[in-house]
Amino acid sequence: MHWTILLKSDPEAKGNPVLHGLRMAASAVADGVEVSVFLAQEACPLAFLDEQTGAKQLVHQDLIHELQELGAKVYVVGLEWLHQSEKALLNSSIEAASMKTLVRQMKISDQVITL
């Protein structure tokens, strides 16, 4: 079984959709589900190392690292962030992906979740 989780909400959004998506992904991986997580739109900043990262984003990044340790793939789609911020560096454990990669993953997935 394979899930694709597309996180596109602001990590600071009310209701914590990104946090819930990452927690759901970790639970699914721990339960034997193959998971691919895509960070897009407002969630893209989580793919970058930043000295100004707040406490909430550190929790998100810790969950991303936990997911990767469990075997999940984490991608970022929308590299306009790379051009907008010279100081931001793409986290080396997160892969840059195209929309083609996202669509291919969605096609092979049993479940697609967007938050």
Side-chain angles (χ1 to χ4, degrees):
M1 176 172 278
H2 186 273
W3 288 8
T4 295
I5 299 177
L6 174 60
L7 300 175
K8 60 181 190 169
S9 297
D10 185 328
E12 300 291 329
K14 185 177 180 180
N16 298 315
V18 172
L19 178 64
H20 293 300
L22 292 171
R23 291 178 62 215
M24 180 175 32
S27 295
V29 171
D31 203 30
V33 177
E34 185 180 342
V35 175
S36 298
V37 175
F38 286 82
L39 304 171
Q41 296 175 350
E42 301 297 319
C44 282
L46 294 176
F48 295 91
L49 301 173
D50 186 357
E51 294 173 7
Q52 305 291 329
T53 301
K56 196 178 225 182
Q57 285 194 340
L58 286 175
V59 170
H60 292 130
Q61 289 179 347
D62 286 345
L63 278 168
I64 289 169
H65 292 301
E66 181 182 333
L67 277 167
Q68 292 170 320
E69 287 174 3
L70 291 170
K73 295 277 190 180
V74 180
Y75 303 90
V76 62
V77 178
L79 292 180
E80 62 274 1
W81 278 96
L82 191 58
H83 302 295
Q84 289 177 359
S85 178
E86 294 175 21
K87 293 180 183 178
L89 298 172
L90 185 61
N91 185 328
S92 63
S93 61
I94 296 176
E95 296 179 45
S98 66
M99 196 56 69
K100 256 186 208 180
T101 305
L102 174 59
V103 170
R104 287 180 185 145
Q105 286 298 317
M106 288 177 156
K107 283 174 64 175
I108 65 166
S109 291
D110 300 296
Q111 181 83 355
V112 176
I113 301 160
T114 303
L115 299 163

